[in-house]
Amino acid sequence: MSRPSHAVVLGGGLAGTLAAHALARHADAVTVLERDVLPEGPGHRRGVPQARHAHLLWSNGARVIDGLLPGTTDRLLAAGARRIGFQGDQVTLTVRGWQHRFEPTQFAILCTRPLLDWIVRDQVLRTGRVHLRQGVEAVELRGAHGRITGVGVRDGDGREGAVEADLVVDATGRASGLRHWLAALDVRPPEKDVVDAGIGYATRLFAAPPGATAAFPAVNVGAPHRPDEPAHFGVVYPVEDDRWIVTLSCTRGGTLPAHEDDFEAFARTRLGHPLVADLIGSVEPLTPVFHSRSGANRRLYPERHGGWPDGLLVVGDSLTAFNPVYGHGMSAAARCAAALDRELAAGADPASGGTRRIQAAIGAAVDDPWILAASKDAGYAGCRVDATDPRLVGEHTAQQRRFADAIIDKSLVAPQVCATVTGVISLSAGQAELGSSRFLSLMHRETSLPKPDGPPLSPEELDLVRLPAYRRVPSA
Ligand SMILES: Cc1cc2nc3c(=O)[nH]c(=O)nc-3n(C[C@H](O)[C@H](O)[C@H](O)COP(=O)(O)OP(=O)(O)OC[C@H]3O[C@@H](n4cnc5c(N)ncnc54)[C@H](O)[C@@H]3O)c2cc1C
């Protein structure tokens, strides 16, 4: 087996940064080419516009990142991120009712994207094993005879050049030029599935009431699901510096709040409960409203491509992008890097036939988040499905959806079912777990508690956010 002598990663977002770190264990030299000039600390930039919106890093993603970069979660927490235990530290109204706040079995890390990106990047760069070239755009792949040999680049002043490499990893995100770059080399594009529920996001930051980011739960409120109508959601997440990030969203056909004035009204009228509106009604907004319409699930299948060139891999959103409502993109990016690391450690040689094997392992690593998001979205009114994945287009999909609804119903009120479902949603357990005989028997025999009839919040929590009127009269 030979080591790659120079691996080049296109894109210095989360997927590219983590992939570069994994490669640095196995290649003689690793370079990241990033189009933006990156901030020296937590900051926004053009190439990651989604960083304005609420982001949740599930426990599986956090563990995988810590496995690659020990100490990352601790640094995030020290910088003000919050570790939310699921389901204990979140108040959730699903489309099927309120969720009991059971003892947590999984967690998520909540902070702004600029903070998360900065800490991960700093963790990687301080190892000194990854060379970052900023302000350099990849404009083409170079190669011949079924092998990639480098990348054509352009700098901020328009100067063109080339970078030689025996392994190139595309991590340029949703807007990747991969299909065009392959076409220019006479390589047909990989197969693609798209499941697009037309999700849109509108987000603002607010100053949270004193103490609330540490002791008030995260909030996630949906609206009752009516077939043939758009779905609506709203989250209030605690983030560093005593702020709440509030994201309101809807599927195709819904109208997002366009201005600051409409924001609270949307939360009050479109969601299934006024909790989000009441929380933000008396706190100070810190930003305007930011919008995103980048929410389609889209997956490429390079591993199925008979003529896929040696020395080319695809990771992160460039490979599989998800409806962000499920919070899986960053964990998937981490899983891609871990799969790359595993395969290279096990001897796969991208220069001589190992590329397909590595790409297949990366594809397997994103399959669970893919099917969780795409199969759920395919049930929304107006969702556009252009896919060959038999799990999305087969005759049995309606039956699967009914089973999924039954699982959600039960997980709201039964702690062990909830623990299994949370394990799967957080990507800590495989989704096959939901078809296991252990789980099916649990669904059947676990006793259900009565459904909560309102947001399960304690008097102390309500005092923190100045909502005493929410106190419920104890039943006689
Ligand atoms: C609104 C929204 C909310 C989200 N919420 C969540 C969430 O709660 N939880 C979660 O886990 N995920 C979430 N995601 C997904 C998450 O943001 C991505 O999965 C994650 O950022 C990984 O992306 P990436 O690194 O693959 O691509 P990107 O973040 O898009 O990064 C691509 C990088 O490549 C650079 N680049 C692009 N083209 C070139 C080029 N030609 N040459 C050089 N550099 C280039 C860009 O500047 C950028 O730095 C959300 C996404 C959206 C849109």
Side-chain angles (χ1 to χ4, degrees):
M1 187 203 89
S2 65
R3 287 164 68 85
S5 59
H6 187 204
V8 168
V9 179
L10 313 183
L14 192 71
T17 307
L18 292 171
H21 179 70
L23 283 166
R25 302 179 185 206
H26 309 282
D28 294 337
V30 179
T31 305
V32 174
L33 304 177
E34 167 54 49
R35 186 172 54 194
D36 284 350
V37 175
L38 301 176
E40 289 285 333
H44 288 284
R45 61 191 180 88
R46 198 177 64 114
V48 187
Q50 73 269 30
R52 298 279 180 191
H53 300 277
H55 272 71
L56 165 154
L57 176 65
W58 278 114
S59 41
N60 173 253
R63 288 188 198 107
V64 174
I65 292 176
D66 270 341
L68 292 163
L69 290 163
T72 304
T73 302
D74 285 347
R75 275 190 72 186
L76 286 167
L77 296 176
R82 170 116 180 252
R83 188 184 191 276
I84 294 286
F86 272 83
Q87 296 283 340
D89 300 331
Q90 177 163 288
V91 169
T92 308
L93 177 62
T94 72
V95 293
R96 309 183 71 80
W98 291 99
Q99 166 76 58
H100 271 284
R101 288 172 68 184
F102 296 127
E103 209 38 49
T105 50
Q106 294 296 334
F107 67 91
I109 303 295
L110 298 181
C111 62
T112 64
R113 262 313 286 277
L115 178 67
L116 193 145
D117 286 0
W118 160 246
I119 287 185
V120 170
R121 189 161 70 241
D122 186 59
Q123 290 273 89
V124 170
L125 293 181
R126 62 168 55 180
T127 65
R129 291 184 301 191
V130 170
H131 175 51
L132 172 65
R133 283 185 62 190
Q134 311 182 45
V136 177
E137 180 181 10
V139 291
E140 64 180 3
L141 292 173
R142 298 215 167 156
H145 313 298
R147 177 182 300 277
I148 296 301
T149 55
V151 195
V153 296
R154 186 165 44 222
D155 71 13
D157 298 323
R159 280 189 300 260
E160 306 217 330
V163 180
E164 287 184 12
D166 46 2
L167 176 60
V168 172
V169 179
D170 175 25
T172 54
R174 276 181 188 266
S176 166
L178 183 68
R179 293 172 76 83
H180 305 293
W181 299 338
L182 289 171
L185 294 176
D186 279 336
V187 177
R188 66 182 160 78
E191 287 177 39
K192 178 170 80 164
D193 279 351
V194 179
V195 176
D196 181 5
I199 194 85
Y201 266 41
T203 299
R204 293 188 90 176
L205 280 160
F206 292 83
T213 52
F216 191 76
V219 170
N220 184 341
V221 174
H225 190 197
R226 296 185 188 87
D228 307 324
E229 285 188 21
H232 297 89
F233 315 91
V235 298
V236 181
Y237 286 167
V239 295
E240 70 276 9
D241 300 329
D242 299 317
R243 294 171 296 169
W244 275 337
I245 191 163
V246 181
T247 289
L248 305 174
S249 55
C250 61
T251 57
R252 179 168 290 108
T255 311
L256 286 170
H259 305 290
E260 286 69 39
D261 298 347
D262 314 336
F263 199 79
E264 188 187 326
F266 177 105
R268 194 166 297 286
T269 55
R270 301 297 169 93
L271 304 181
H273 191 278
L275 177 60
V276 173
D278 288 340
L279 286 172
I280 61 178
S282 61
V283 291
E284 184 198 350
L286 302 173
T287 63
V289 182
F290 295 100
H291 291 95
S292 167
R293 278 280 174 191
S294 301
N297 303 288
R298 199 241 327 104
R299 179 172 181 181
L300 302 183
Y301 296 95
E303 65 273 21
R304 292 186 192 162
H305 192 298
W308 190 254
D310 274 334
L312 176 64
L313 296 170
V314 195
V315 298
D317 281 15
S318 191
L319 178 74
T320 316
F322 308 91
N323 175 347
V325 162
Y326 308 105
H328 283 154
M330 297 191 295
S331 294
R335 289 159 73 96
C336 290
L340 178 59
D341 185 39
R342 269 195 310 273
E343 288 303 312
L344 289 170
D349 181 358
S352 63
T355 301
R356 278 247 240 135
R357 166 178 154 190
I358 302 171
Q359 191 66 60
I362 293 171
V366 299
D367 190 60
D368 269 358
W370 162 255
I371 200 59
L372 286 169
S375 60
K376 175 76 180 143
D377 279 8
Y380 284 123
C383 184
R384 294 174 189 155
V385 180
D386 180 5
T388 54
D389 188 328
R391 298 167 298 178
L392 298 172
V393 292
E395 288 164 2
H396 47 278
T397 50
Q399 191 189 343
Q400 280 174 344
R401 229 163 268 142
R402 279 196 297 278
F403 180 54
D405 286 346
I407 291 175
I408 292 174
D409 268 346
K410 185 90 183 188
S411 75
L412 302 180
V413 290
Q416 290 184 65
V417 168
C418 178
T420 306
V421 171
T422 307
V424 171
I425 291 172
S426 66
L427 306 181
S428 305
Q431 63 104 27
E433 184 63 27
L434 300 179
S436 68
S437 51
R438 185 198 72 84
F439 181 69
L440 296 178
S441 132
L442 206 51
M443 282 283 290
H444 187 64
R445 72 179 156 75
E446 191 178 12
T447 309
S448 297
L449 300 173
K451 269 191 181 174
D453 55 6
L457 286 160
S458 71
E460 295 75 26
E461 288 167 342
L462 291 171
D463 286 347
L464 258 184
V465 295
R466 305 174 206 125
L467 287 180
Y470 273 57
R471 279 181 192 238
R472 281 184 284 152
V473 183
S475 43

